[in-house]
Amino acid sequence: MEERDANVAGARLRKKMIASLPKLFDSILLIFQSGNRSVITKQELIHKILSCNCSVIDRNEVEEQLELMEELAPDWIFRKAAATGDILYRVNKMSSSQEIRQRLAVAV
């Protein structure tokens, strides 16, 4: 019974996080466009997301949302390990932002 309750709670949390992905997508898109960048470190990306998104204050939540974003839009955002040991995020600027938004909206 407790295991089922934990699974239900986990599914609700995942659904809530997926529902917030379109807003996260817009934030990430703005971060990459405003800096005219194609690559950013994970730490810098999380910092910028937290500084421009007042509704999210937990670093762990942002990390989980980024993982979901990678899962649902792997052709748009992906991470790569740098030679320095940093984790770099890269976005595919050739992807259609409208298509990605629709895919995220359907995932909810």
Side-chain angles (χ1 to χ4, degrees):
M1 185 72 151
E2 289 178 19
E3 186 176 312
R4 188 184 71 174
D5 289 344
N7 288 339
V8 169
R12 283 186 189 144
L13 177 61
R14 181 177 168 90
K15 189 172 183 176
K16 179 184 171 194
M17 291 182 80
I18 289 173
S20 68
L21 289 182
K23 187 174 182 178
L24 178 67
F25 170 78
D26 290 336
S27 295
I28 293 171
L29 189 62
L30 181 63
I31 290 166
F32 275 89
Q33 287 177 341
S34 66
N36 197 20
R37 310 173 90 157
S38 59
V39 176
I40 191 170
T41 65
K42 178 181 179 180
Q43 290 195 347
E44 186 177 358
L45 180 59
I46 290 172
H47 174 74
K48 287 182 182 271
I49 291 169
L50 289 171
S51 66
C52 72
N53 189 345
C54 297
S55 64
V56 179
I57 57 170
D58 183 20
R59 180 181 177 82
N60 291 330
E61 184 179 342
V62 173
E63 288 181 359
E64 289 175 26
Q65 288 175 336
L66 281 170
E67 288 176 14
L68 277 173
M69 184 73 75
E70 288 177 73
E71 180 183 321
L72 296 172
D75 56 322
W76 179 69
I77 188 167
F78 47 95
R79 66 178 144 179
K80 195 176 188 179
T84 60
D86 289 332
I87 296 174
L88 301 175
Y89 274 94
R90 180 180 295 264
V91 295
N92 180 356
K93 292 184 177 183
M94 300 304 288
S95 294
S96 164
S97 58
Q98 188 66 19
E99 182 182 306
I100 303 296
R101 274 191 200 91
Q102 287 175 343
R103 191 179 330 158
L104 295 173
V106 169
V108 176

